[in-house]
Amino acid sequence: MAIETQLKTKDFTKLNLDFQENLYIFSDKIKEQIKPYTDYNLIDFKDIFANTNPVNVEIGIGNGEFLVHYASKFPEENFLGFEVVKRVIRKAISRAQKRELNNIKLIHYDGSFFVRLFPPESVKTFFINFPDPWPKKKHHKRRLMKTSFLRLLSEKMQTDGTLYIATDHENYAKEIMTNLITVDALRSCFESVYVNELVDYYPTKYYRKFALNKGVYFFKLKKV
Ligand SMILES: C[S@@+](CC[C@H](N)C(=O)[O-])C[C@H]1O[C@@H](n2cnc3c(N)ncnc32)[C@H](O)[C@@H]1O
């Protein structure tokens, strides 16, 4: 094959998500499957959870408290969590192991990579609790809640699905508010774009430690 054709032709590969103890997968098992010029088949949640129950996704699970809480509360639904720091996801893994839940899966990898691979309109809820604010201006471009990513989340959400975002960072909250303006499919569930308290929501470790006394910007958006 001519080099030019090779460069233009993408392979499609099915990622093998072989969850250890039916619960977690570490990034080395994913990285070894990532190749240049390759795209990946969309993920079939039925392959992951062995059922067709609604799927809820948290990006940046930290110690996993939040996801484990909801997975225990809603055994008829599935919960998929992403966390990039191994030391941190290990805490989430042991927390989930203790509860012996079979409706939760934890992936040690960048959640934004995986969201691209979700089928359209497949996710009931996205939770993004205290995404890293990257406070220095020169680092703002690293923030997760860009317009393109918010739009991608909305495309992956079922109609009437919900996106929750909590931050304690005023500048980030303002950026999220601005970025949401052009994402037509997402409508605030509040009269304002955000509220300054968590409404019917589990207070995460970050919230209790850093945001409780400082204040919070809480977004709850429906896919219309
Ligand atoms: C400020 S902490 C909040 C942790 C937790 N959500 C809480 O509220 O206690 C943000 C977490 O998101 C993780 N994180 C950041 N970007 C991520 C990404 N793209 N995919 C998965 N995890 C991510 C970080 O490693 C960190 O543990």
Side-chain angles (χ1 to χ4, degrees):
M1 196 187 291
I3 285 184
E4 201 185 16
T5 322
Q6 276 183 357
L7 289 177
K8 281 182 187 162
T9 311
K10 276 193 169 189
D11 279 339
F12 278 83
T13 297
K14 184 174 179 179
L15 283 177
N16 175 17
L17 297 178
D18 191 8
F19 287 89
Q20 294 182 52
E21 298 178 40
N22 207 21
L23 174 63
Y24 61 92
I25 181 164
F26 285 130
S27 63
D28 53 338
K29 295 283 174 222
I30 296 164
K31 281 183 190 152
E32 68 192 19
Q33 301 177 58
I34 306 289
K35 295 185 240 81
Y37 309 116
T38 300
D39 225 326
Y40 302 91
N41 290 351
L42 292 182
I43 283 165
D44 187 345
F45 287 127
K46 196 161 168 266
D47 289 346
I48 295 184
F49 291 102
N51 62 48
T52 56
N53 293 345
V55 174
N56 305 283
V57 176
E58 185 183 7
I59 300 175
I61 60 172
N63 69 4
E65 229 183 288
F66 179 92
L67 204 64
V68 166
H69 170 84
Y70 282 104
S72 311
K73 198 168 167 192
F74 299 104
E76 300 304 315
E77 299 194 8
N78 297 318
F79 292 82
L80 178 61
F82 294 92
E83 171 55 57
V84 286
V85 179
K86 196 167 194 176
R87 176 181 49 80
V88 173
I89 199 170
R90 280 188 194 284
K91 295 182 187 169
I93 292 168
S94 38
R95 181 168 269 109
Q97 280 167 329
K98 280 182 202 139
R99 304 297 278 267
E100 297 184 359
L101 299 166
N102 57 12
N103 61 335
I104 185 167
K105 305 283 177 212
L106 305 176
I107 300 185
H108 171 225
Y109 206 74
D110 178 356
S112 64
F113 170 86
F114 273 91
V115 171
R116 286 194 296 124
L117 306 184
F118 294 167
E121 311 229 312
S122 61
V123 174
K124 181 180 176 195
T125 319
F126 278 109
F127 302 104
I128 303 179
N129 297 319
F130 305 96
D132 293 330
W134 296 105
K136 288 186 185 161
K137 194 161 188 208
K138 65 177 178 181
H139 292 151
H140 284 185
K141 55 181 178 290
R142 298 184 191 171
R143 289 175 170 173
L144 190 58
M145 301 284 93
K146 297 290 169 204
T147 305
S148 56
F149 191 62
L150 290 164
R151 191 166 290 128
L152 182 70
L153 292 174
S154 76
E155 286 164 11
K156 305 301 183 177
M157 286 161 68
Q158 299 166 356
T159 303
D160 223 30
T162 313
L163 164 62
Y164 294 92
I165 309 167
T167 180
D168 59 336
H169 197 274
E170 185 182 4
N171 178 274
Y172 200 1
K174 284 185 176 157
E175 183 186 332
I176 294 168
M177 199 165 76
T178 306
N179 293 347
L180 281 168
I181 290 171
T182 54
V183 187
D184 295 334
L186 294 178
R187 296 281 158 80
S188 177
C189 297
F190 306 124
E191 281 180 14
S192 48
V193 186
Y194 60 78
V195 293
N196 292 112
E197 57 183 327
L198 299 183
V199 182
D200 299 329
Y201 208 61
Y202 182 86
T204 68
K205 181 178 176 191
Y206 182 95
Y207 173 78
R208 297 192 311 271
K209 212 167 160 192
F210 300 107
L212 186 56
N213 298 319
K214 184 178 156 200
V216 70
Y217 301 83
F218 184 57
F219 298 79
K220 179 180 178 184
L221 303 139
K222 278 267 174 223
K223 160 96 173 259
V224 291

